[in-house]
Amino acid sequence: MVLGAAQPSFPTPPTDAPTIDFPVPSAGPNPGGGSAPSIAPVPPTGSNGKPVRPPGVGAPPLPRSVNVQLKVERDGSLTVREQVIVQARQTMTRTAPLRIGDRVFTVRDPRVDGSGTAAVEGDNLVLRLGEGASTVQYTVDGAVEDLGDHQRFRWQVASGWDSKLVLVRGSLLTPRRGSNFTCLAGAANTEDRCESALTDGGSVLRVVQSNLDAGARVDLAADLPAGTVPANARFEAAGTTAAAFALTPLSGTGLGVALLLLLAGFAVLWRARSRDAAALGADVEPVELLDSAAGRAVFASPDGVLPGQVGTVVDERVDPRDLSATVVDLAVRNYLWITEVDGDWQLVRRNPADDALSGYERTVYTALLPEGTESVRLSALRATPPDVSAVRAAVYGDAVAHDWFGRKPTGLGPLVIAGIVVFALGAALTVLLGVVGGPALLGVALAVVGVGLVLGGRLMPVRTERGSVLLQQIRGVHTYLNTADPDSVAAADREVVFSRGLPYAVALDDAEQWLTRFGALDSAADGAPGLYWYATQDPVAATDQQRFTEQFRAFLTGLDEVFAKA
């Protein structure tokens, strides 16, 4: 709406119009000393010489009448006081728009003295009043616009009432005398002038409008001298993307919270990655797999980690070599028996899978020897590799259950899934608020948090703090496997040390040097020739450690091929 710049003309009231005394400032102290009367304003007069009174001024209160007092404060805010008379046994509601075209007003501290409520709801000031007289007070920001050589005041004295108003009276008081007053009354976007808009001798603009239709407005504008008050008018392109994405206190708070969450997440991510990097790069001491108890070698792995889990903790994936290490470990622990048969190898069921086996070990055992199968040849496994997809899932599940991993390395992970959900909600909220003209930056902030969760979930180390500690211990085991001296172990215990350490050497790709170091092992030193978990049909070869080393390398290569194909 474009408000006229020129002062409107108003019809001359009839000569018998009711009269009213204009307020005349009382005499005050003379700045120069003594007492002198203030200048008495002279109200406008008619052709008969009698003062002209604005219509309705001084009339008794009428049901469905509104008296509005406006005062522009020196800080640029506008204080409003509305006195509303509601007819008995009826109610009146005002839904005053706070967005008029591109102009945006802000109302604060609304309150009602009487029967009713006042509140800001979205882009509207809503007054709900009951019967009788009520006084509504509130403060408006955004009523004064700076136009360079002058300022422009604007506010709708009345608007959005759900009832026809019998009489609307209004007054405007400004710190400095205004000019070019414009008062429009009627439906929005119409240019009909108010019935009366006159300035009294005290420089107070008084407007009167009778029989204002429901939903119509009384729109008041005035020019003020430049610099009268701090200008605070705010403009937003209504219904456009720019308005929806404007930075407001609410959307700014949302973006600030999102930034804090991202910074906190970055700090957590940085700490976790630094911890993991330290576990991979720190110097470690050898960690022995066997301890001495009652004069005998007793096996003890760090945190109970199994050979098939060792490689997974190190590189966060299940490799064929990890599964091969598990098969060797099952043989060493007397669940399987490995024997040479006509240039091939046969895996024989020795003891059934029991509760001493972990979930993934039972899965490997069942994959190799299903129920009812007593033995299987390596060549048969090469021809028809077993399904080990469940084995990999079980290894990852065991690592999570032991709190070595915070999530499974495969798949999206809970943090990534949460991030995708949050991002989708943020994107939907952005679109919705953008359409309705709301603070769409809140949706953007939520979407940014979602992206942060996705990136954090992908960059966050899979290993937990406990897993990082175990990683250092595994590196210590690796050092032990490369430095252990067979001569420091009693001859009767060397077979146990060699056998229990071999699956870990396989998992850590140290089998070659482990086999070489124990190449002079006398397998008969424990009272029985040959290894207790590996057999050959050649009686001479049973005690030939060098031949066993060559055959075991070939067996291990074949086993790796089986799991690689699977």
Side-chain angles (χ1 to χ4, degrees):
M1 176 191 306
V2 179
L3 296 175
Q7 180 175 351
S9 60
F10 301 97
T12 303
T15 58
D16 57 350
T19 62
I20 159 179
D21 291 333
F22 282 87
V24 179
S26 60
N30 189 335
S35 175
S38 301
I39 298 175
V42 180
T45 59
S47 58
N48 58 1
K50 294 183 178 181
V52 175
R53 311 302 187 204
V57 175
L62 298 174
R64 291 185 287 122
S65 66
V66 179
N67 184 21
V68 183
Q69 299 172 351
L70 308 176
K71 181 181 179 182
V72 177
E73 304 292 348
R74 295 192 179 278
D75 63 357
S77 62
L78 172 68
T79 56
V80 183
R81 178 186 175 93
E82 298 188 22
Q83 297 170 315
V84 185
I85 308 299
V86 181
Q87 193 167 348
R89 295 183 297 280
Q90 293 187 11
T91 61
M92 291 175 59
T93 300
R94 181 187 182 191
T95 305
L98 301 180
R99 180 187 289 272
I100 304 174
D102 292 347
R103 187 76 170 265
V104 179
F105 299 89
T106 302
V107 169
R108 49 189 169 93
D109 304 327
R111 58 192 184 278
V112 176
D113 183 9
S115 174
T117 61
V120 175
E121 299 179 5
D123 287 336
N124 298 292
L125 168 64
V126 180
L127 311 180
R128 298 181 177 89
L129 305 177
E131 63 177 278
S134 297
T135 300
V136 183
Q137 299 181 69
Y138 51 90
T139 302
V140 179
D141 294 318
V144 180
E145 176 187 2
D146 194 349
L147 297 178
D149 60 345
H150 69 281
Q151 294 181 328
R152 185 72 168 168
F153 164 85
R154 183 185 181 187
W155 179 247
Q156 292 189 344
V157 178
S159 61
W161 286 103
D162 64 348
S163 306
K164 183 175 182 178
L165 300 182
V166 174
L167 182 63
V168 177
R169 292 177 293 182
S171 63
L172 172 63
L173 178 63
T174 56
R176 297 172 65 181
R177 187 184 185 93
S179 61
N180 294 330
F181 301 107
T182 303
C183 183
L184 303 176
N189 301 321
T190 60
E191 298 293 327
D192 296 336
R193 304 286 180 167
C194 299
E195 290 179 0
S196 175
L198 299 174
T199 305
D200 64 18
S203 300
V204 177
L205 175 65
R206 301 184 186 278
V207 298
V208 176
Q209 178 66 38
S210 59
N211 298 320
L212 185 69
D213 291 335
R217 96 298 191 206
V218 174
D219 202 334
L220 182 61
D223 286 348
L224 301 176
T228 298
V229 295
N232 53 16
R234 186 162 60 92
F235 296 87
E236 292 180 359
T240 66
T241 302
F245 287 88
L247 185 62
T248 64
L250 180 60
S251 59
T253 300
L255 289 173
V257 171
L259 178 59
L260 289 177
L261 291 175
L262 290 176
L263 289 176
F266 174 79
V268 172
L269 177 63
W270 179 83
R271 179 180 179 276
R273 292 184 68 87
S274 297
R275 180 200 67 214
D276 212 48
L280 285 169
D283 294 334
V284 294
E285 295 295 327
V287 175
E288 296 190 9
L289 289 172
L290 296 117
D291 196 3
S292 178
R296 298 290 294 176
V298 178
F299 176 81
S301 66
D303 207 4
V305 67
L306 298 168
Q309 298 167 330
V310 165
T312 304
V313 171
V314 172
D315 59 17
E316 300 178 355
R317 65 176 184 269
V318 179
D319 297 323
R321 182 53 60 94
D322 300 327
L323 303 183
S324 297
T326 299
V327 173
V328 175
D329 191 48
L330 289 174
V332 169
R333 289 157 60 194
N334 286 318
Y335 287 97
L336 298 176
W337 191 35
I338 305 172
T339 180
E340 298 176 22
V341 179
D342 301 329
D344 198 356
W345 290 266
Q346 185 167 280
L347 301 177
V348 181
R349 184 190 299 268
R350 198 167 192 178
N351 288 299
D354 54 25
D355 293 338
L357 296 181
S358 67
Y360 88 89
E361 288 178 314
R362 284 194 298 270
T363 306
V364 171
Y365 187 94
T366 304
L368 296 175
L369 296 173
E371 188 68 28
T373 303
E374 293 300 319
S375 64
V376 62
R377 289 201 176 193
L378 186 61
S379 57
L381 292 175
R382 280 176 173 173
T384 309
D387 183 5
V388 295
S389 57
V391 175
R392 290 189 172 90
V395 174
Y396 293 138
D398 273 2
V400 173
H402 281 87
D403 194 28
W404 298 328
F405 287 177
R407 59 178 174 83
K408 293 183 179 180
T410 58
L412 298 179
L415 198 61
V416 174
I417 293 175
I420 293 174
V421 172
V422 172
F423 175 80
L425 291 175
L429 185 62
T430 301
V431 173
L432 176 62
L433 293 177
V435 170
V436 302
L441 287 180
L442 288 179
V444 173
L446 190 61
V448 169
V449 171
V451 172
L453 288 173
V454 171
L455 293 177
R458 300 303 297 175
L459 296 176
M460 181 68 72
V462 173
R463 282 183 292 268
T464 62
E465 186 170 358
R466 180 175 177 177
S468 295
V469 171
L470 176 60
L471 175 61
Q472 287 184 303
Q473 293 172 327
I474 290 174
R475 293 181 61 231
V477 169
H478 182 270
T479 302
Y480 167 75
L481 293 174
N482 283 274
T483 59
D485 182 7
D487 293 336
S488 65
V489 181
D493 292 335
R494 287 176 190 171
E495 184 176 338
V496 173
V497 173
F498 168 75
S499 299
R500 295 307 300 266
L502 182 58
Y504 291 90
V506 171
L508 294 173
D509 204 22
D510 286 328
E512 185 69 26
Q513 60 84 25
W514 187 252
L515 290 169
T516 301
R517 183 171 293 111
F518 282 85
L521 171 67
D522 180 6
S523 61
D526 61 352
L531 296 172
Y532 66 91
W533 52 271
Y534 188 95
T536 176
Q537 294 176 336
D538 185 349
V540 177
T543 57
D544 187 346
Q545 183 64 20
Q546 182 176 357
R547 181 184 179 283
F548 163 77
T549 298
E550 295 174 354
Q551 289 295 99
F552 185 79
R553 288 172 183 158
F555 167 74
L556 199 58
T557 300
L559 199 57
D560 287 345
E561 292 177 359
V562 169
F563 290 121
K565 291 180 180 179

